[in-house]
């Protein structure tokens, strides 16, 4: 007699589900509802079924997935995130990628200068810094685009913000606050009341420093000034160290990260590599650490640094752990093109360096200096003033940026004697998504623009953030509006 699914024991059914695709699991569940097979439906809801599906069809296939402990997620939440990740991977790897306008909202908060995603308690939120008479911080519900809380210290201006990459840390947001006669860094915590929508913003610490926050990871905060200094501090204990780059006027800090015993400090015009220093207590004098490697970027319009994931889908794992995307600024002010250059950062020596380096002598006890290799590039039209200079490179090689509107000049001309108005065609910013070498680009070494969307709401996008793992793009405007796209 033929064996049917409902005659198999639970372990055998779990093994069956592990051998089929995610759409097949959904089809089995649908069939169980039609044929009233409650046992099959119940097994398809088990945590182990979706744990196997996530490991086999998402993680091993190198599809972006939120960095969380899978065992900590409930079965329903694990299923939801696994299905979402599967659809996201299918979309990026399809010939015709689809980008959807999820929702848009207007507000009277003032011009939005900074916008960031923040994850807490398994849910995504949006943090914005808006400039009115004074600067204010607003927290938005990512699902409804409703403001759920705001924070402001009063008559002050914000000068920088960093979001904690560790959801379990006491400090969720670090923000530099410039008062009339002094500057401090405030650390804020996201708290939750009885309902998920009741969110509080609470100050957990105040750091007396003139430096602005660049990166926040757990209890470690990276702070920099606009020229040469970078401070690494444990905000709970006060232990810190000081890194000093060569003085370069207005070398705006962008990224700071650890890699293979080194600290890489990326600024708007340079990259400096330091040997990872020891942190000293606040009671001791902080020694100055100098870089052993410096790379000059020249004038650029943006840099994005991303830590690449450990790929489980390749037989030979990549030895590189960082990628960098640079939006170059050409010497010709009338140039109509931008170039987006994609670099691979290798942790140690042994790779030919295609970017000029100026190095000081270092002892053998120091870790090998990272090397920088230009992998590929994309040329895009640069048509007008760059109002949104943010470029974001994801861990899996996807990138997002905004191309400016056309450089059009309105005025009067005279064909004969009389002056006549010159009609100016409508001009719009363009949101651009691209694939660079990575697991979502099907092994290709060439960069490719995948989709472009014009700004249709008439406002000017001023800032942007991109959550690669969730497939979400948030854009803030100079009129206080937020536009949310999803992949």
């Amino acid at each position: 007699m033929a064996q049917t699914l409902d005659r198999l024991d639970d372990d055998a059914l779990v093994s069956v589900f592990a051998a089929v695709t995610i759409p097949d699991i959904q089809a089995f569940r649908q069939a169980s509802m039609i044929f009233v097979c409650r046992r099959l439906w119940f097994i398809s809801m088990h945590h182990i079924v979706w744990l196997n599906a996530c490991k086999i069809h998402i993680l091993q296939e190198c599809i972006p997935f939120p960095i969380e402990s899978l065992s900590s997620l409930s079965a329903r939440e694990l299923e939801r995130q696994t299905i979402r990740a599967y659809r996201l991977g299918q979309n990026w790897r399809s010939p015709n990628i689809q980008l959807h306008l999820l929702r848009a909202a207007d507000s009277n908060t003032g011009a939005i200068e900074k916008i960031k995603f923040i994850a807490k308690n398994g849910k995504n939120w949006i943090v914005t810094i808006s400039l009115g008479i004074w600067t204010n911080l607003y927290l938005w519900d990512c699902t409804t685009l409703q403001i759920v809380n705001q924070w402001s210290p009063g008559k002050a201006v914000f000068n920088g913000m960093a979001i904690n990459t560790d959801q379990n840390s006491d400090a969720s947001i670090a923000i530099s606050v410039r008062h009339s006669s002094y500057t401090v860094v405030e650390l804020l915590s996201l708290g939750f009341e009885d309902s998920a929508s009741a969110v509080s913003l609470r100050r957990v610490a105040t750091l007396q420093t003139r430096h602005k926050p660049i990166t926040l990871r757990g209890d470690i905060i990276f702070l920099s000034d606009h020229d040469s200094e970078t401070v690494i501090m444990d905000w709970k204990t006060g232990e810190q160290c000081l890194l000093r780059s060569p003085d370069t006027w207005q070398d705006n800090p962008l990224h700071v990260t650890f890699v293979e015993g080194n600290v890489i400090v990326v600024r708007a015009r340079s990259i400096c590599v330091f040997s990872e220093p020891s942190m000293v207590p606040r009671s001791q004098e902080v020694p100055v650490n100098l870089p052993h490697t410096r790379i000059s970027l020249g004038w650029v319009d943006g840099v994005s640094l991303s830590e690449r994931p450990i790929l489980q889908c390749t037989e030979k794992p990549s030895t590189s752990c960082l990628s960098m995307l640079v939006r170059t600024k050409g010497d010709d002010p009338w140039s109509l093109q931008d170039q987006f250059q994609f670099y691979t950062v290798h942790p140690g020596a042994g790779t030919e360096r295609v970017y000029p380096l100026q190095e000081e002598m270092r002892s053998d006890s120091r870790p090998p200096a990272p090397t920088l290799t230009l992998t590929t590039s994309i040329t895009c039209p640069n048509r007008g003033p760059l109002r949104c200079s943010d470029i974001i490179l994801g861990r899996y090689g996807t990138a997002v940026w905004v191309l400016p509107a056309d450089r059009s000049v309105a005025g009067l001309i005279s064909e004969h004697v009389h002056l006549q108005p010159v009609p100016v065609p409508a001009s719009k910013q363009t949101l651009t998504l691209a694939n660079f070498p990575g697991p979502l680009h099907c092994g290709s070494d060439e960069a490719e623009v995948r989709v472009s969307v014009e700004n249709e709401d008439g406002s000017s996008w001023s800032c942007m953030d991109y959550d690669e793992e969730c497939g979400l793009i948030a854009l803030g405007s100079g009129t206080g509006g937020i536009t949310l796209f999803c992949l």
Side-chain angles (χ1 to χ4, degrees):
M1 183 176 64
Q3 185 82 317
T4 59
L5 285 177
D6 59 335
R7 293 180 178 272
L8 298 177
D9 58 40
D10 289 356
D11 291 340
L13 282 176
V14 169
S15 299
V16 169
F17 280 121
V20 300
T21 66
I22 290 176
D24 289 337
I25 297 176
Q26 295 176 292
F28 274 132
R29 180 182 296 175
Q30 186 67 25
S32 69
M33 295 175 65
I34 295 174
F35 296 103
V36 197
C37 183
R38 293 185 178 181
R39 181 165 168 264
L40 191 61
W41 177 88
F42 183 74
I43 294 293
S44 72
M45 300 286 288
H46 275 194
H47 189 277
I48 186 61
V49 169
W50 290 102
L51 183 63
N52 291 334
C54 184
K55 290 180 178 179
I56 296 171
H57 302 295
I58 304 301
L59 301 184
Q60 292 183 13
E61 292 296 322
C62 305
I63 295 174
F65 193 82
I67 305 174
E68 297 180 48
S69 173
L70 298 183
S71 59
S72 67
L73 299 175
S74 66
R76 178 171 295 183
E77 182 63 18
L78 180 58
E79 176 185 346
R80 184 185 71 83
Q81 293 197 21
T82 300
I83 293 174
R84 181 185 62 184
Y86 177 80
R87 291 172 179 170
L88 179 63
Q90 292 291 102
N91 195 12
W92 270 114
R93 291 169 174 170
S94 68
N96 299 311
I97 188 171
Q98 300 294 319
L99 181 65
H100 306 281
L101 175 62
L102 194 59
R103 60 186 61 88
D106 293 322
S107 70
N108 58 356
T109 61
I112 297 179
E113 295 187 326
K114 197 78 171 177
I115 187 167
K116 287 291 182 183
F117 287 108
I118 184 171
K120 194 75 172 180
N121 283 15
K123 185 174 180 180
N124 283 328
W125 309 82
I126 295 175
V127 178
T128 62
I129 292 179
S130 299
L131 181 61
I133 299 177
W134 301 105
T135 315
N136 294 280
L137 182 147
Y138 293 91
L139 184 65
W140 305 66
D141 188 309
C142 200
T143 304
T144 63
L145 281 191
Q146 298 291 319
I147 296 175
V148 296
N149 211 328
Q150 69 179 84
W151 181 86
S152 175
K155 299 179 179 179
V157 175
F158 297 164
N159 191 35
M161 179 178 68
I163 302 298
N164 206 328
T165 56
D166 181 3
Q167 295 188 33
N168 298 318
S169 176
D170 294 335
S172 303
I173 305 169
I175 188 160
S176 178
V177 181
R178 187 172 62 199
H179 296 272
S180 58
S181 58
Y182 64 96
T183 300
V184 295
V185 171
E186 303 284 7
L187 297 175
L188 307 178
S189 174
L190 264 67
F192 296 87
E193 309 299 334
D194 296 335
S195 63
S197 59
V199 188
S200 62
L201 288 168
R202 180 175 58 88
R203 181 191 287 111
V204 293
T206 300
L207 308 179
Q208 304 294 330
T209 176
R210 60 182 177 84
H211 297 81
K212 71 177 184 178
I214 305 301
T215 305
L216 183 60
R217 293 185 175 182
D219 297 339
I220 304 298
I221 185 170
F222 301 80
L223 307 133
S224 293
D225 64 5
H226 280 280
D227 295 314
S228 62
E229 292 186 353
T230 300
V231 176
I232 304 176
M233 178 188 296
D234 185 318
W235 64 267
K236 283 189 173 180
T237 65
E239 294 181 324
Q240 59 184 301
C241 59
L242 176 62
L243 313 178
R244 181 167 292 163
S245 307
D247 287 337
T248 304
W249 179 72
Q250 288 295 302
D251 201 3
N252 190 41
L254 300 173
H255 304 277
V256 183
T257 189
F258 291 108
V259 53
E260 299 291 333
N262 293 287
V263 180
I264 297 182
V265 178
V266 180
R267 292 176 176 267
R269 296 165 61 188
S270 67
I271 301 174
C272 287
V273 183
F274 301 80
S275 297
E276 185 175 334
S278 299
M279 300 174 69
V280 300
R282 71 176 77 192
S283 58
Q284 297 182 14
E285 182 178 356
V286 181
V288 177
N289 297 273
L290 300 178
H292 58 71
T293 305
R294 182 179 182 273
I295 306 170
S296 177
L297 295 179
W299 290 98
V300 299
D301 276 331
V303 179
S304 181
L305 190 70
S306 178
E307 299 183 28
R308 303 183 72 173
I310 300 174
L311 303 183
Q312 304 179 29
C313 58
T314 57
E315 295 181 0
K316 296 181 179 180
S318 174
T319 57
S320 60
C321 55
L322 291 174
S323 298
M324 186 173 70
L325 186 62
V326 179
R327 186 178 199 159
T328 62
K329 184 175 183 179
D331 297 331
D332 181 6
W334 303 105
S335 173
L336 298 179
Q337 292 183 334
D338 269 348
Q339 192 173 48
F340 295 83
Q341 298 177 339
F342 180 82
Y343 291 89
T344 301
V345 183
H346 300 272
T351 304
E352 181 183 357
R353 300 176 187 180
V354 298
Y355 209 103
L357 302 181
Q358 297 83 36
E359 297 189 20
E360 297 179 0
M361 296 298 293
R362 57 181 182 272
S363 65
D364 294 337
S365 61
R366 294 186 180 183
T371 60
L372 196 62
T373 305
L374 177 60
T375 304
T376 185
S377 63
I378 288 179
T379 299
C380 293
N382 177 5
R383 301 168 294 187
L386 190 61
R387 302 190 184 281
C388 179
S389 60
D390 298 325
I391 60 172
I392 301 175
L393 174 67
R395 299 173 65 238
Y396 291 78
T398 64
V400 181
W401 60 79
V402 173
L403 292 177
D406 286 334
R407 174 187 290 115
S408 301
V409 179
L412 299 173
I413 62 172
S414 174
E415 291 184 353
H416 302 291
V417 178
H418 303 288
L419 296 178
Q420 298 180 351
V422 180
V424 179
S427 176
K428 299 176 182 178
Q429 294 170 302
T430 305
L431 177 65
T432 303
L433 281 73
N435 265 132
F436 288 89
L440 295 180
H441 200 22
C442 301
S444 174
D445 292 331
E446 297 297 325
E448 179 186 6
V449 172
R450 299 300 308 278
V451 64
S452 298
V453 177
E454 288 189 336
N455 183 3
E456 298 289 351
D457 64 4
S459 62
S460 177
W461 289 329
S462 56
C463 53
M464 177 190 66
D465 196 21
Y466 170 45
D467 188 331
E468 184 184 49
E469 294 167 344
C470 295
L472 295 174
I473 303 168
L475 296 119
S477 75
T479 58
I482 290 181
T483 305
L484 192 63
F485 289 93
C486 70
L487 287 157

